[in-house]
Amino acid sequence: MIQSTPLPRRSAEEQARLDAMLRDVFEHKLRFNEVLGLKVASFNPEAPQLEFAMRPELIGHYLHGRLHGGVIAAALDTVGGFAVTVGIAEKFCNETVEQFSHRFGRIGTIDMRTDYLHQGIGKRFIATGRLTRLGGRIASVQMSLENETGLLIATGSAAYVVS
């Protein structure tokens, strides 16, 4: 049996730099995320999360004050990409921020499905991504969107190119 030696992890300081860089990218540099008000809630590799608050600009049905379906799909797609990014950062845990940033530019959505389960009513929403496969070229993710009470608003599944 061949035993592989685990790669050394980046230092806590380097991980903090990476987290700060990813937070800046997902909250500000990807400008549409900033328009939606998306904020990083968790870098947990098992289930990274983004959150956002309901605002009048996000309403899709003016009589009921429901979240627009496009906002729901965009939040799911973004958390899917975030889950892939966090997964790649974990897979290449020995790389510096500079080395990792070269990988980040190659991620893109190939296909996505959204299932709308309940009306998008709430004060806050949390989107969670769960990486189901991270291959050399393609990643697969399952996503969910819940309101602050834990009501499941929508689910999604997507494939992302990673090379």
Side-chain angles (χ1 to χ4, degrees):
M1 173 194 301
I2 300 174
Q3 287 188 340
S4 62
T5 307
L7 294 172
R9 287 196 64 82
R10 64 182 65 86
S11 68
E13 179 181 286
E14 191 69 11
Q15 185 64 47
R17 282 185 60 223
L18 178 63
D19 290 352
M21 185 268 296
L22 291 177
R23 184 179 303 278
D24 184 49
V25 167
F26 276 88
E27 292 182 2
H28 303 294
K29 291 195 171 144
L30 297 172
R31 298 303 304 260
F32 187 61
N33 294 357
E34 193 169 47
V35 169
L36 295 177
L38 295 175
K39 301 288 182 196
V40 173
S42 170
F43 286 103
N44 176 357
E46 299 298 315
Q49 296 180 318
L50 301 173
E51 63 183 355
F52 62 100
M54 180 57 144
R55 301 189 328 268
E57 300 86 358
L58 304 180
I59 290 175
H61 194 293
Y62 71 96
L63 292 177
H64 302 287
R66 293 189 298 233
L67 192 60
H68 190 283
V71 173
I72 292 170
L76 290 175
D77 185 28
T78 304
V79 81
F82 183 58
V84 171
T85 303
V86 170
I88 292 171
E90 194 64 20
K91 182 177 180 178
F92 297 97
C93 61
N94 61 325
E95 292 184 347
T96 66
V97 171
E98 292 75 22
Q99 290 169 319
F100 174 76
S101 14
H102 293 291
R103 295 180 187 283
F104 178 72
R106 297 185 226 156
I107 299 169
T109 310
I110 297 171
D111 186 46
M112 187 176 98
R113 174 191 169 93
T114 302
D115 292 309
Y116 300 92
L117 306 174
H118 286 97
Q119 297 179 22
I121 303 214
K123 295 178 182 169
R124 297 203 60 74
F125 298 93
I126 188 133
T128 305
R130 289 177 180 84
L131 192 62
T132 56
R133 181 180 186 280
L134 179 58
R137 306 189 113 208
I138 306 293
S140 299
V141 184
Q142 297 288 315
M143 303 88 72
S144 62
L145 182 71
E146 298 178 349
N147 69 9
E148 74 279 359
T149 69
L151 178 66
L152 185 60
I153 305 296
T155 60
S157 57
Y160 298 84
V161 65
V162 294
S163 64

